[in-house]
Amino acid sequence: LRIAVLISGSGSNLQAIIDACASGEINGEVTAVISNKADVYGLQRAQAAKISHSVVAANRGEARELYDRRLTAELAQHKPDLVVLAGFMRILSESFVRQYEGKMFNIHPSLLPKYPGLDTHQRVLDAGDDEHGASVHFVTPELDGGPVVLQAKVPVFEEDDAADLAQRVHTQEHRIYPLVVKWFCQGRLAMGDNIALMDGNKL
Ligand code: GRF
């Protein structure tokens, strides 16, 4: 399958997926990397992997729908079978999401439905939780609200700060995201009525 990955930053999740495709773990190919920010390390990762990459940057004050139409135009050129949001830090409009619903995933650094939104690691520390984690979910118009496909849990230790947690969560992200992409490329995942299905069964 043709995989398009949307990024905004370092692209460590992008790298994990590139590596899993290269090793044959994933029966797919990252054929496009699109960033909403220029000069991010994720673009260098695409370059190094000889993957077509481009920047679709928002113009100051540009309406969300207008930006999303430009993003759609860029994405459509690559004819993706699967769209992977990997650290993509923009909220996508409903019209954009509807085009790819059922074949678009996101990874979020929390045990959804806990802590949708930003600064999840600090919020976990502030709440005194003893566990945290990452979630891969189908993307629906509700921010961080789509049906969860796979989660990984990590412990929270007394002496942890946000950076410690982020690092521990990142390690798990790089395990679970390639696995979900692999399953999708094997035709084992589908989205039902706001539920995730694996091999036809509700997850
Ligand atoms: C990850 O923690 C991911 O969960 C969140 O943003 C970060 C992206 O990291 N959405 P990277 O760009 O994949 O390294």
Side-chain angles (χ1 to χ4, degrees):
L1 292 187
R2 300 170 58 81
I3 305 165
V5 183
L6 306 189
I7 63 168
S8 299
S10 76
S12 69
N13 280 286
L14 162 67
Q15 190 66 58
I17 292 166
I18 289 172
D19 294 347
C21 291
S23 73
E25 173 73 17
I26 291 175
N27 177 19
E29 182 191 3
V30 178
T31 53
V33 172
I34 302 173
S35 175
N36 67 310
K37 299 275 183 210
D39 308 323
V40 294
Y41 189 55
L43 291 169
Q44 293 182 41
R45 295 181 193 270
Q47 172 103 27
K50 297 185 177 39
I51 295 170
S52 166
H53 51 285
S54 53
V55 176
V56 178
N59 299 317
R60 187 181 305 284
E62 181 176 25
R64 186 175 305 287
E65 270 68 14
L66 201 56
Y67 174 85
D68 285 6
R69 267 210 294 279
R70 293 195 297 115
L71 182 62
T72 298
E74 174 64 26
L75 201 45
Q77 289 180 39
H78 300 282
K79 299 182 177 40
D81 302 305
L82 170 61
V83 178
V84 168
L85 306 183
F88 187 66
M89 302 307 276
R90 274 188 66 92
I91 294 173
L92 293 163
S93 62
E94 174 160 359
S95 51
F96 181 93
V97 171
R98 291 295 183 209
Q99 292 177 81
Y100 290 102
E101 201 160 17
K103 53 183 182 179
M104 179 159 60
F105 294 98
N106 182 44
I107 188 157
H108 181 75
S110 81
L111 292 174
L112 291 172
K114 289 196 290 186
Y115 310 116
L118 299 173
D119 302 324
T120 62
H121 310 303
Q122 191 55 51
R123 289 158 66 193
V124 160
L125 292 172
D126 295 347
D129 295 357
D130 57 12
E131 63 178 22
H132 183 26
S135 306
V136 179
H137 61 92
F138 279 104
V139 175
T140 61
E142 184 193 354
L143 178 66
D144 299 331
V148 171
V149 173
L150 185 60
Q151 294 186 311
K153 284 186 181 178
V154 298
V156 181
F157 301 118
E158 278 299 308
E159 66 283 4
D160 279 339
D161 63 13
D164 297 322
L165 272 187
Q167 204 268 327
R168 198 169 304 134
V169 167
H170 257 101
T171 302
Q172 295 308 315
E173 292 177 348
H174 302 157
R175 285 181 51 242
I176 63 176
Y177 220 168
L179 196 49
V180 170
V181 172
K182 170 182 174 180
W183 290 339
F184 187 84
C185 293
Q186 288 173 323
R188 300 183 61 189
L189 287 178
M191 197 176 100
D193 177 21
N194 208 28
I195 58 167
L197 299 166
M198 182 171 208
D199 300 335
N201 305 306
K202 184 178 183 304
L203 271 173

